[in-house]
Amino acid sequence: MLTMKDIIREGHPTLRKVAKEVDTPLSEEDKALGQEMMEFLKNSQDPEMAEKYELRSGVGLAAPQINEQKRIIAVLIPAIDENGEEFILFEDVMYNPRIISHSVQKAALADGEGCLSIDRPIEGLVPRHERITVEWTDAEGNKKQQRFRDYEAIVIQHEIDHLNGKLFFDRIDPLQPYAARDFKLL
Ligand SMILES: CNC(=O)c1cccc(C)c1Nc1nc(N2CCN(c3ccccc3Cl)CC2)nc(N2CSC[C@H]2C(=O)NC)n1
Ligand code: NI
């Protein structure tokens, strides 16, 4: 199973490289890699497993973060319904994800963003597209296309940035990190 020692940190050159598209039909190796990444997210969101293996919790992970220069991201977003019941808002391993359209309107997490590869808190709003349409191939080889908004859209953009060698703080305005000019705070 993947643990924090498998996650490369700020300063490792792979984090600043552009990852390569994976071939389709997917190889067994690429399918196994995606499964391992999803397993990490599940473990990281399980209090017992996270404590036992000292995992930082995340809702997204990109293959470059485990030093694999492949365009693969895993996304596992839980939510709580009005009865306090937890459910999964979105779960998928996305191969060759591509943003094919997006809103003009921007949005940012009011509390800023964290990243498993960045071992220090970096303050500031990270402006991103509020809504995106993403195209990808899933683990079964199906071509998928879906519109995402708000938190889901933020997470997917954060992970796709990793495929292009971008880190969240690249997007924080250095002069006015908290200027919530024209974007929606989430
Ligand atoms: C500096 N301020 C902050 O970090 C920050 C501070 C407060 C609130 C938010 C909302 C912040 N921001 C932020 N919080 C998260 N988590 C909230 C807790 N959660 C989680 C934790 C425990 C169990 C299960 C789960 Cl689900 C895991 C995910 N995740 C991300 N990001 C940025 S997009 C990719 C995503 C990611 O997975 N990062 C590792 N940002
Ligand atoms: Ni990250």
Side-chain angles (χ1 to χ4, degrees):
M1 67 176 267
L2 291 174
T3 62
M4 293 309 292
K5 69 171 179 25
D6 300 300
I7 293 180
I8 61 174
R9 309 301 159 88
E10 191 178 3
H12 191 302
T14 301
L15 280 179
R16 288 305 192 178
K17 293 204 174 107
V18 176
K20 297 175 192 60
E21 291 227 326
V22 294
D23 294 329
T24 49
L26 300 172
S27 67
E28 287 313 306
E29 181 193 355
D30 290 343
K31 279 191 255 186
L33 187 60
Q35 273 175 345
E36 270 201 292
M37 291 164 63
M38 182 56 76
E39 211 46 49
F40 174 88
L41 293 179
K42 290 189 174 172
N43 292 337
S44 84
Q45 294 180 18
D46 175 318
E48 272 138 55
M49 291 297 280
E51 190 189 351
K52 182 174 179 185
Y53 294 99
E54 297 180 331
L55 308 177
R56 273 187 63 192
S57 302
V59 290
L61 185 69
Q65 293 183 274
I66 53 172
N67 204 17
E68 292 278 355
Q69 294 182 46
K70 297 181 174 181
R71 298 186 80 81
I72 307 171
I73 64 174
V75 180
L76 178 63
I77 303 178
I80 312 270
D81 67 17
E82 58 278 357
N83 312 321
E85 286 300 306
E86 187 176 307
F87 67 101
I88 299 296
L89 202 56
F90 183 74
E91 172 179 358
D92 210 2
V93 179
M94 305 169 96
Y95 293 87
N96 302 328
R98 211 159 59 88
I99 295 172
I100 57 175
S101 70
H102 61 77
S103 60
V104 170
Q105 179 63 30
K106 294 255 190 281
L109 294 182
D111 296 306
E113 293 190 10
C115 179
L116 299 173
S117 295
I118 309 297
D119 291 327
R120 58 194 172 99
I122 300 176
E123 304 283 302
L125 297 174
V126 183
R128 296 188 185 278
H129 305 308
E130 185 192 328
R131 292 183 302 284
I132 53 176
T133 303
V134 185
E135 187 182 81
W136 73 97
T137 299
D138 70 9
E140 285 71 44
N142 307 310
K143 272 294 245 184
K144 307 287 274 284
Q145 184 169 321
Q146 185 172 334
R147 288 177 65 78
F148 299 92
R149 61 176 45 227
D150 300 339
Y151 189 51
E152 291 169 272
I154 299 281
V155 173
I156 290 169
Q157 289 172 82
H158 176 114
E159 302 312 330
I160 290 178
D161 268 357
H162 277 301
L163 304 182
N164 298 321
K166 281 187 86 70
L167 297 171
F168 73 87
F169 50 79
D170 300 342
R171 297 181 180 277
I172 296 173
D173 180 336
L175 301 179
Q176 296 183 299
Y178 284 98
R181 263 190 304 283
D182 56 351
F183 43 87
K184 176 178 170 186
L185 291 184
L186 298 169

